[in-house]
Amino acid sequence: MENLQLRTFADYKKAYKKSTKDPEAFWEGIADTFTWQKKWDKTLEWDFEKPEVKWFQGGKLNITENCLDRHLEKLGNKTAIIWEPNDPDEESRYISYRQLFVKVSRFANVLKNNGIKKGDRVCLYMPMIPELAIAMLACARIGAVHSIVFAGFSSAAIARRINDSECKMLITANEVYRGAKKVNLKEICDKALEETPSIESVIVYRRTVEPTAMKDGRDKFWFDELQKAEKDCPAEEMDAEDMLFILYTSGSTGKPKGMVHTVGGYMVGTTYTFQNVFQLEKDDVYWCTADIGWITGHSYIIYGPLASGATTVMFEGVPSYPDYGRFWEICEKLKVTHFYTAPTAIRSLAKQPLKFVERHDLSSLKVLGSVGEPINEEAWHWYNDNIGKGNCPVVDTWWQTETGGIMISPLAGITPTRPTFATLPLPGVQPVLMDEQGEEIPHTNEPVEGRLAIKFPWPSIARTIYGDHDRYKEVYFSTFKGKYFTGDGAYRDASGNYRITGRVDDIVIVSGHNLGTAAIENAIDEHEAVVESAVVGYPHEVKGNALYAYVILYNDIEPSEELIKEIREIVANTVGPIAKPEKIQFVSGLPKTRSGKIMRRILRKIASKDTENLGDTSTLLNPEIVDEIMADFKA
Ligand code: PRX
């Protein structure tokens, strides 16, 4: 394993220049440092119009050989994963690279014994325990495609995702600890399983000793299956462009998009970005607090760190349990050197008395990271001053489920940081800002603002939406001809630093979670009292954004607190508790254009208390409704 780290700002500039002048040669040099069973024939083939992107075609590899086997000789005894349980009194687990290799191989045989073959889809609905990492790597070992569903999602959300990609197996746990609560995951799965004909078997890990209802012939316990499994499992030979995983993300329509990532490019992209953004040294302890159910966990708890031979921390619990000092207690206990979290977590912890931070020794920290949403100035400074003590570079990393890896970010200690700015693109990333007319805004020495697109492929770009390539084209490649559109707006300063200003489509980022308003509206509309609804985001002190729902009821229905509760409940059950609207306002109509389209721009402004300039409302079909909505606004 070779170190891919750039060391100086000059190195960065040189690498960036090379990556734009000759992207193929640039990525070839990086890809060459990995273990391939057979070297690729063609580095890149692409066409953003079709759209089609292929990296390292003809190359054969297995990502687990790069995350595990290749480290065994030199790093076999090094800790790969440190697991920190929800309950601070329970023991942490330290799993070395060799132990992880053994566990993954054996569990890979469990998958095989249960009929899973290369290309089959396996759904994982698991708590943050090492077995989640083991299960995902075991899938990758035999070429099965994992589809991880965040274990806070509802039965309906699991079923929809399982059915969309026709998963053959579901892996879950009986229960999960989350702070002071225990949640029965198996029960949630059982409800989903009533509607998932493709599932043939369910593997259940017992996280607690509680009795678990099992269905004969379908459900099997993890440990029982392990007993029957062989120890060795050779790594399946995968084509660089074979699917590694599917991960669902919200879309502007109600249906989630199953983003498809492939083996070769994803491995090269996540590993290169991990090493360069975080700049780990040999004995560092790296902790990303995300859940593996999101892309951040895939790329920067598992694949990037393990392919780099790093020690990565997995935390089962929540930042507030047993008190608001938990993150800092763990940093002290495990001597964490690199800490990567989300602005929403920073804001909620910044609201607590400083004693929760001060009682812990945070001197091991070297680098702080932020991801998932724009980090506001106040949160940035709190993080930098109180956690980093002014000594740790803060890397504000901008990227997406679709990009697979970090795209715009400082490189810790190498390139400059600037509060609220994700700063400069990584080598290999060619961002552009687009104006209202769809033209590229040229790079001059003027600060500019526009919509953020990327004009050249990078290895870890998602290749398609599972089963719906037309939608992939429509969502990402039709807004600006020949370019990938991110859905974000951005500002660029005179030195070329980017600051992401937020989504410009119908996706709202709530507490760092990407939520499509359409899916929430569909859920609300399912309530029998509801005629129609519109959901928009508005700024929220801790969550970044919160959701405001405008709801039209049938004429004979009286608005009530009970109804509000029921609507929130429906959303929690269909989309998930994180999607519950913060505020619900009953209205008699929604502002619509003459063609019947809801004018969300106006609703967004009202929800954000930004009603000074609503723009021209006279062209609306029903302009009078705007005053009514403003009069009943829920402050
Ligand atoms: O709007 C951007 C925001 O999160 C979106 C991607 O969400 P998701 O696919 O769930 O991935 C989140 C983790 C990578 C982006 O379109 N976003 C992500 N990181 C940042 C950000 N906005 C501002 N600054 C960031 N650092």
Side-chain angles (χ1 to χ4, degrees):
M1 189 198 51
E2 249 175 80
N3 193 318
L4 300 168
Q5 279 164 236
L6 303 165
R7 294 293 180 191
T8 62
F9 197 15
D11 279 357
Y12 161 80
K13 287 185 195 154
K14 209 167 122 201
Y16 192 82
K17 208 162 163 194
K18 178 172 177 194
S19 78
T20 48
K21 239 175 105 189
D22 193 350
E24 295 189 27
F26 173 78
W27 287 112
E28 278 163 17
I30 292 160
D32 256 336
T33 66
F34 291 82
T35 301
W36 297 82
Q37 296 164 349
K38 174 183 166 287
K39 196 172 161 157
W40 60 94
D41 309 312
K42 189 163 191 196
T43 304
L44 172 65
E45 186 176 334
W46 72 289
D47 179 349
F48 273 175
E49 309 257 327
K50 267 187 184 168
E52 178 185 86
V53 179
K54 291 181 178 166
W55 284 93
F56 314 118
Q57 272 184 92
K60 304 279 183 196
L61 76 160
N62 189 293
I63 196 167
T64 67
E65 288 189 319
N66 285 277
C67 291
L68 301 170
D69 309 45
R70 72 165 165 160
H71 301 320
L72 294 182
E73 196 186 313
K74 290 200 181 121
L75 304 176
N77 294 328
K78 179 172 176 175
T79 303
I81 296 177
I82 307 180
W83 176 72
E84 183 62 24
N86 176 68
D87 178 352
D89 292 332
E90 193 179 335
E91 279 207 16
S92 317
R93 285 167 68 185
Y94 286 74
I95 302 174
S96 70
Y97 272 95
R98 185 168 305 282
Q99 288 166 330
L100 187 60
F101 168 77
V102 169
K103 285 174 190 292
V104 167
S105 302
R106 193 176 278 254
F107 193 72
N109 285 324
V110 169
L111 299 178
K112 279 187 183 168
N113 291 348
N114 282 278
I116 299 299
K117 296 183 304 295
K118 178 174 175 177
D120 287 343
R121 275 81 57 212
V122 176
C123 178
L124 275 52
Y125 186 74
M126 305 266 287
M128 281 289 284
I129 53 177
E131 284 67 26
L132 168 52
I134 293 165
M136 66 198 283
L137 291 164
C139 287
R141 186 89 181 159
I142 65 166
V145 177
H146 57 73
S147 166
I148 305 184
V149 177
F150 169 61
F153 274 134
S154 64
S155 304
I158 306 171
R160 201 177 308 132
R161 285 162 177 75
I162 287 179
N163 291 336
D164 182 70
S165 49
E166 295 171 295
C167 294
K168 262 175 85 173
M169 177 187 270
L170 170 65
I171 306 177
T172 187
N174 61 337
E175 295 188 304
V176 53
Y177 293 111
R178 210 167 274 149
K181 279 193 305 199
K182 221 166 37 169
V183 184
N184 192 321
L185 290 187
K186 178 64 168 43
E187 247 171 49
I188 299 172
C189 287
D190 281 340
K191 193 149 169 251
L193 287 161
E194 288 168 15
E195 302 165 38
T196 55
S198 60
I199 295 285
E200 292 170 7
S201 52
V202 179
I203 309 277
V204 183
Y205 181 82
R206 289 179 86 129
R207 173 69 185 98
T208 68
V209 294
E210 297 302 318
T212 305
M214 300 287 276
K215 186 171 166 184
D216 258 0
R218 185 195 69 186
D219 302 353
K220 295 158 190 182
F221 282 116
W222 177 290
F223 281 115
D224 296 346
E225 291 305 294
L226 269 190
Q227 304 302 324
K228 297 183 230 159
E230 296 274 316
K231 196 165 113 282
D232 298 323
C233 180
E236 185 76 32
E237 184 183 276
M238 303 292 285
D239 198 277
E241 280 298 326
D242 278 340
M243 253 191 276
L244 174 63
F245 65 84
I246 302 170
L247 182 60
Y248 286 87
T249 186
S250 307
S252 296
T253 69
K255 199 167 175 262
K257 300 173 295 202
M259 303 315 306
V260 170
H261 283 284
T262 54
V263 182
Y266 177 81
M267 173 185 76
V268 171
T270 53
T271 311
Y272 179 74
T273 51
F274 173 74
Q275 294 191 14
N276 279 294
V277 169
F278 294 103
Q279 298 282 328
L280 260 69
E281 292 169 278
K282 200 168 122 271
D283 296 319
D284 284 345
V285 175
Y286 162 89
W287 179 20
C288 164
T289 70
D291 193 287
I292 290 179
W294 312 115
I295 191 70
T296 309
H298 283 61
S299 303
Y300 298 113
I301 297 179
I302 301 300
Y303 289 112
L306 294 181
S308 304
T311 298
T312 176
V313 175
M314 258 181 100
F315 174 43
E316 182 186 39
V318 294
S320 55
Y321 180 80
D323 64 36
Y324 281 97
R326 188 68 195 277
F327 273 2
W328 322 127
E329 185 217 315
I330 296 173
C331 285
E332 177 177 7
K333 175 177 165 190
L334 305 180
K335 301 215 169 14
V336 170
T337 54
H338 291 67
F339 179 75
Y340 188 28
T341 195
T344 184
I346 299 168
R347 286 190 297 264
S348 75
L349 295 172
K351 277 177 75 131
Q352 308 304 323
L354 214 49
K355 65 171 193 221
F356 286 117
V357 178
E358 286 165 349
R359 61 169 72 127
H360 298 288
D361 174 5
L362 298 180
S363 59
S364 58
L365 287 172
K366 299 188 208 170
V367 174
L368 301 177
S370 170
V371 59
E373 56 185 310
I375 178 164
N376 49 307
E377 189 104 26
E378 213 182 327
W380 195 98
H381 285 292
W382 185 86
Y383 197 30
N384 180 61
D385 300 350
N386 296 298
I387 306 305
K389 320 285 184 203
N391 290 324
C392 305
V394 176
V395 291
D396 176 0
T397 64
W398 174 83
W399 59 296
Q400 310 180 296
T401 304
E402 295 84 342
T403 68
I406 297 171
M407 302 288 277
I408 304 181
S409 167
L411 311 184
I414 307 282
T415 67
T417 62
R418 178 165 172 200
T420 77
F421 280 75
T423 70
L424 299 170
L426 262 67
V429 176
Q430 300 189 33
V432 284
L433 290 182
M434 309 298 289
D435 67 16
E436 294 287 319
Q437 284 69 46
E439 297 297 325
E440 193 175 325
I441 306 174
H443 276 262
T444 59
N445 289 340
E446 292 295 313
V448 286
E449 202 164 339
R451 285 181 290 170
L452 181 63
I454 316 282
K455 68 176 182 189
F456 196 86
W458 60 100
S460 63
I461 182 177
R463 303 297 195 261
T464 188
I465 292 175
Y466 190 84
D468 199 348
H469 199 68
D470 288 345
R471 189 175 179 201
Y472 174 72
K473 177 172 180 169
E474 168 65 30
V475 175
Y476 304 106
F477 298 93
S478 63
T479 312
F480 305 117
K481 205 171 146 53
K483 296 188 176 67
Y484 167 85
F485 177 44
T486 64
D488 282 331
Y491 165 89
R492 185 173 63 218
D493 73 6
S495 323
N497 291 300
Y498 288 85
R499 164 200 237 158
I500 310 302
T501 49
R503 302 288 310 188
V504 293
D505 55 11
D506 290 333
I507 289 176
V508 184
I509 314 245
V510 179
S511 298
H513 300 312
N514 206 328
L515 299 172
T517 52
I520 302 166
E521 288 164 6
N522 292 347
I524 296 177
D525 296 351
E526 270 177 34
H527 192 289
E528 54 188 16
V530 173
V531 181
E532 196 182 1
S533 63
V535 172
V536 296
Y538 68 95
H540 185 278
E541 209 191 328
V542 173
K543 300 178 177 180
N545 295 291
L547 298 170
Y548 195 113
Y550 300 89
V551 177
I552 308 176
L553 297 175
Y554 281 101
N555 274 339
D556 53 344
I557 310 269
E558 276 298 309
S560 66
E561 280 304 313
E562 195 49 37
L563 264 179
I564 291 186
K565 246 172 91 186
E566 286 173 19
I567 289 173
R568 286 166 57 88
E569 208 44 39
I570 275 205
V571 174
N573 289 334
T574 353
V575 186
I578 45 176
K580 281 197 271 190
E582 189 88 2
K583 295 180 188 173
I584 296 179
Q585 177 180 349
F586 295 113
V587 295
S588 69
L590 293 166
K592 290 196 175 169
T593 63
R594 287 181 193 277
S595 60
K597 201 165 179 287
I598 298 172
M599 282 289 273
R600 284 160 204 284
R601 185 177 51 77
I602 292 175
L603 294 174
R604 236 177 261 135
K605 286 202 160 200
I606 297 175
S608 314
K609 299 192 217 161
D610 173 22
T611 49
E612 289 279 287
N613 179 14
L614 283 182
D616 183 12
T617 54
S618 65
T619 56
L620 290 175
L621 193 64
N622 49 351
E624 69 292 343
I625 200 71
V626 176
D627 288 332
E628 183 204 300
I629 294 179
M630 287 208 299
D632 293 340
F633 170 69
K634 288 206 152 191

